Amino acid sequence: MSQLPRYESYKDSGVQWLGEIPSHWKCLSIKRLTLVKRGASPRPIDNPEYFDDEGEYAWVRIADVTASDKYLLETTQRLSELGNSLSVKMQPDSIFLSIAGSVGKPIITKVKACIHDGFVYFPDWKESINFLYYIFASGQPYLGLGKLGTQLNLNTDTVGNIKIALPPSDEQEAIADFLDKRLAQVDSLITKQATLLEKLAEQRVALISHAVTKGLNPDVEMKESGIEILGNIPQQWKIKRLKFLLSEKLKYGANESAESEDKENPRYIRITDIDDSGNLKDETFKSLEFEKAEEYLLDDLDILLARSGATVGKSYLYKAESIGIACYAGYLIRARLDQENYNPEFVNYFLQSKQYWDWISSINIQATIQNVSAEKYNDLTLAIPPLEEQKQLIEYLKNEDEKFNSAIGKGKKLVHLLNEYRSTLITQVVTGKIDVRNLKLN
């Protein structure tokens, strides 16, 4: 960005997030340009009288804004005439800002909509709404508005007191137009990369799924497994339920709160500590005192299984050498395998297969709450090859995993860099560090 043109002269804004701004720009508080008002909600909000599928005004929830990009095009609910009379009506091409949930996220509505008190709006704004959108989208005006380590707290006063750099109207439109076009290019690259990452993840699952149910020899004699999700399996493989692979019964974790960060104590593993790659996150480290952890200490290559909620079915293979002493929380179930006959790494690969996730889905379809108990996990059916073949499959899958992880890692890094560039570009442009008036985009 250092090669992009700058304005001829600058002045100190006196505002940390703005820094120096072009000499002909103004530095003003938002409240000097418009009132900042809060939305309103009909109460109680679950009263069906307030809703009508054919209503004139869409009802905006935080989730609708979170799921949208720059523009709000639709919502999942509409208000009745009574409902919209008790809320705040927004006309198409109005801007409002979330102050709850996705705090600080701006949106421009393209439909008639009503907003509740989790949003603020700007009834007297006469400048470019697209320019104001990008000011908020930069995220920078909120710096210093929240206490360190706490969630950002916005209200009509804090938003009104935000100081912004305001160029002349024609420049506001030029800036918004430039960002619309340039960010469309960046977002297209991000989307393509995200699609590639999805395909790589799908290919990885397909490879694992085939290996842990069919083996590596395409010419091996097959037999019917008698289990629908497994299909035909190699002749020498055996069908086993999980409970017959264990050296000890499945065991639920400790029902203790995660408060301590003392690294002298055993790490307290919760399902939220495990990332999508099956690794523990450093930033979520918690520990548990030895006397509370003792009954729940993990042995090398124990497997943890999530038993409820959005992460139900997720698994984690504990490796003592890399993690150190650890115990586990109550929403997890420990599976300790008979390692003389069954390799935990093979079982862990099966827990990443399509067949396993189909089984999890079939369990959840039968229940109103997503939950897989130890009793249900006991009945999980696997196709088990001889021990030596298990080792060969593990070696093969580890080698393939290295290739996938390398490609996925590069893809994620590129997405991160593109998002970083995107945020920096918005900030640089709305604070006047780049003069886009005469820039031509390819």
Side-chain angles (χ1 to χ4, degrees), residues 380-408:
L380 170 63
T381 306
L382 300 85
I384 304 294
L387 190 59
E388 190 57 39
E389 192 174 351
Q390 291 176 45
K391 293 176 182 176
Q392 292 170 3
L393 284 163
I394 291 164
E395 194 63 32
Y396 166 76
L397 289 172
K398 281 183 175 179
N399 287 335
E400 293 301 311
D401 248 354
E402 281 187 20
K403 300 172 191 174
F404 278 113
N405 290 338
S406 175
I408 290 170

Side-chain angles (χ1 to χ4, degrees), residues 405-416:
N405 290 338
S406 175
I408 290 170
K410 289 175 182 176
K412 285 182 175 180
K413 184 177 180 181
L414 180 55
V415 169
H416 173 75

Side-chain angles (χ1 to χ4, degrees), residues 95-363:
I95 186 170
F96 52 95
L97 182 72
S98 170
I99 59 171
S102 298
V103 179
K105 188 177 192 304
I107 194 90
I108 296 172
T109 183
K110 287 295 183 181
V111 296
K112 289 183 176 181
C114 284
I115 58 172
H116 58 67
D117 57 7
F119 300 101
V120 295
Y121 66 107
F122 312 91
D124 308 314
W125 183 260
K126 299 294 191 293
E127 308 292 336
S128 165
I129 60 166
N130 290 293
F131 181 71
L132 183 60
Y133 168 84
Y134 281 120
I135 286 173
F136 289 131
S138 74
Q140 298 302 301
Y142 313 127
L143 295 179
L145 295 183
K147 293 180 181 178
L148 188 64
T150 63
Q151 182 171 318
L152 179 65
N153 181 29
L154 296 179
N155 54 46
T156 54
D157 289 335
T158 53
V159 174
N161 286 326
I162 289 172
K163 287 191 173 181
I164 64 171
L166 193 68
S169 296
D170 59 336
E171 277 184 62
Q172 293 177 40
E173 294 299 342
I175 285 169
D177 184 60
F178 169 82
L179 286 173
D180 280 346
K181 292 174 180 174
R182 183 67 185 120
L183 294 181
Q185 295 173 338
V186 176
D187 291 343
S188 176
L189 291 173
I190 291 172
T191 299
K192 287 178 182 176
Q193 200 60 38
T195 301
L196 176 60
L197 287 171
E198 285 177 11
K199 287 181 179 178
L200 284 169
E202 288 170 3
Q203 289 170 9
R204 179 181 180 274
V205 169
L207 182 83
I208 291 171
S209 302
H210 186 274
V212 298
T213 57
K214 312 299 178 192
L216 301 178
N217 183 356
D219 301 320
V220 70
E221 186 180 349
M222 306 292 280
K223 66 180 179 182
E224 288 186 10
S225 68
I227 307 298
E228 185 177 353
I229 63 169
L230 296 179
N232 291 339
I233 62 172
Q235 184 69 40
Q236 298 302 314
W237 291 28
K238 295 180 180 179
I239 294 296
K240 293 276 187 179
R241 282 188 287 171
L242 180 61
K243 66 181 178 181
F244 296 120
L245 309 183
L246 305 174
S247 62
E248 297 180 20
K249 289 182 179 180
L250 294 176
K251 183 177 175 64
Y252 292 103
N255 288 314
E256 301 287 347
S257 58
E259 296 174 356
S260 174
E261 295 181 6
D262 184 352
K263 297 201 173 183
E264 296 298 315
N265 287 325
R267 174 155 191 175
Y268 191 35
I269 300 175
R270 302 153 298 159
I271 197 63
T272 50
D273 298 333
I274 303 165
D275 66 21
D276 292 337
S277 302
N279 300 311
L280 289 185
K281 304 171 189 172
D282 292 332
E283 65 272 18
T284 61
F285 179 94
K286 295 291 180 182
S287 62
L288 200 61
E289 297 89 338
F290 269 100
E291 54 270 23
K292 293 179 181 178
E294 188 173 9
E295 186 183 345
Y296 307 98
L297 291 177
L298 294 167
D299 285 352
D300 190 38
L301 300 183
D302 278 349
I303 295 173
L304 296 177
L305 303 162
R307 65 184 177 96
S308 63
T311 57
V312 65
K314 197 173 182 180
S315 62
Y316 171 68
L317 180 68
Y318 167 71
K319 295 184 178 180
E321 185 177 354
S322 58
I323 303 302
I325 300 173
C327 58
Y328 61 105
Y331 284 100
L332 293 165
I333 298 171
R334 185 209 68 201
R336 181 165 290 164
L337 271 63
D338 168 13
Q339 294 188 32
E340 288 188 8
N341 297 295
Y342 310 106
N343 195 308
E345 292 186 279
F346 175 81
V347 173
N348 189 56
Y349 272 119
F350 179 83
L351 297 176
Q352 298 170 60
S353 69
K354 181 180 183 297
Q355 290 83 353
Y356 170 70
W357 284 105
D358 285 348
W359 178 80
I360 290 290
S361 296
S362 71
I363 295 292

Side-chain angles (χ1 to χ4, degrees), residues 59-99:
W59 175 238
V60 185
R61 301 167 306 142
I62 298 295
D64 297 315
V65 172
T66 303
S68 302
D69 293 319
K70 182 178 179 181
Y71 298 111
L72 180 71
L73 303 175
E74 61 181 354
T75 66
T76 57
Q77 293 178 300
R78 304 190 77 81
L79 291 182
S80 65
E81 194 168 334
L82 174 61
N84 72 51
S85 71
L86 298 170
S87 185
V88 171
K89 299 173 184 175
M90 306 295 293
Q91 298 304 316
D93 291 322
S94 299
I95 186 170
F96 52 95
L97 182 72
S98 170
I99 59 171

